[in-house]
Amino acid sequence: MAQPRTDEELMRAYCAGERLAFDELFARYAPLLLRVARRQLATEDQARDVVQETFVRLHAARHDFRTDARLRPWVMTIAMNLVREHWRKTKRRKTSVDDTLDLRAAPDPERGPLEMRQREQAVRAALLTLPDSQREVVELHWLQERPFAEVAEIVGTSEGAVRVRAHRAYKKLKELLEPELGHD
């Protein structure tokens, strides 16, 4: 049985005119992009619009794709730029990091559902106080578990700058959440 083609092989095939390669890329990336967009935007329709527009832009820029580059960061950059563009157009702060926030902690049997909801709300509120550049890094690194190198490609800066933003963000979150949540 033949190995499935890599994302980069599919992109090269699509650029060469193979329509089915685009369909395969869409099948691979649409669910991921939809999850990411849902975390960033207020409504399902906005998230779906970002996914659709990401593929429109991927098509329009397909000949700009560097054959020696990885596809995933390129596609994620397109999507994240569209999210940022959405928020610039609406001129208001993002408020829906919350819908699918994963606190990365096992439920504590000594805490009831109400206390767990309060903790989750505190984390959401703390995230929203961060500058956009820091919040974006936290969302990509912590919530989506992306390595710093990939986060740097997505946000268009160096890995060192991403690490600094993350460090500052995590320090600020800790300061904000310690009084709210207490020490465990």
Side-chain angles (χ1 to χ4, degrees):
M1 186 171 152
Q3 291 285 343
R5 292 190 284 184
T6 66
D7 295 344
E8 293 73 22
E9 289 169 337
L10 286 169
M11 187 63 183
R12 285 190 290 273
Y14 174 55
C15 290
E18 186 183 321
R19 170 70 188 171
L20 291 176
F22 179 83
D23 295 344
E24 177 73 21
L25 287 170
F26 185 86
R28 287 183 187 184
Y29 278 94
L32 167 68
L33 293 173
L34 189 57
R35 282 192 308 273
V36 169
R38 280 180 183 140
R39 286 185 178 137
Q40 305 285 326
L41 301 166
T43 70
E44 180 78 13
D45 286 343
Q46 291 169 346
R48 289 184 185 283
D49 287 347
V50 163
V51 172
Q52 181 178 355
E53 184 63 22
T54 298
F55 284 100
V56 167
R57 295 208 181 168
L58 178 138
H59 170 75
R62 67 191 179 280
H63 298 297
D64 294 336
F65 179 70
R66 289 188 353 252
T67 57
D68 63 330
R70 290 180 46 232
L71 182 65
R72 184 181 180 125
W74 192 64
V75 171
M76 293 299 295
T77 299
I78 293 170
M80 294 304 291
N81 285 340
L82 288 167
V83 167
R84 283 191 289 272
E85 185 178 304
H86 166 81
W87 288 113
R88 272 193 302 270
K89 284 180 182 175
T90 59
K91 296 196 192 266
R92 63 185 173 105
R93 288 181 63 89
K94 182 177 358 174
T95 58
S96 68
V97 137
D98 52 10
D99 291 330
T100 55
L101 182 63
D102 176 2
L103 298 178
R104 302 279 184 249
D108 185 339
E110 297 191 15
R111 291 193 171 95
L114 179 61
E115 188 175 352
M116 290 303 289
R117 262 195 309 273
Q118 289 171 334
R119 292 171 63 90
E120 186 176 329
Q121 288 172 346
V123 171
R124 287 182 198 151
L127 276 170
L128 291 172
T129 66
L130 296 176
D132 291 343
S133 62
Q134 289 179 7
R135 185 174 57 250
E136 182 177 45
V137 167
V138 169
E139 289 169 351
L140 291 168
H141 181 253
W142 183 49
L143 298 178
Q144 296 179 27
E145 299 179 340
R146 298 191 182 285
F148 283 123
E150 188 173 328
V151 173
E153 285 185 64
I154 292 168
V155 300
T157 191
S158 70
E159 186 175 341
V162 165
R163 288 179 182 275
V164 168
R165 288 180 194 174
H167 173 76
R168 290 177 180 161
Y170 294 141
K171 182 177 176 185
K172 181 68 173 174
L173 287 172
K174 183 177 178 184
E175 289 170 6
L176 290 168
L177 293 171
E178 277 184 344
E180 188 77 29
L181 303 177
H183 295 289
D184 288 313

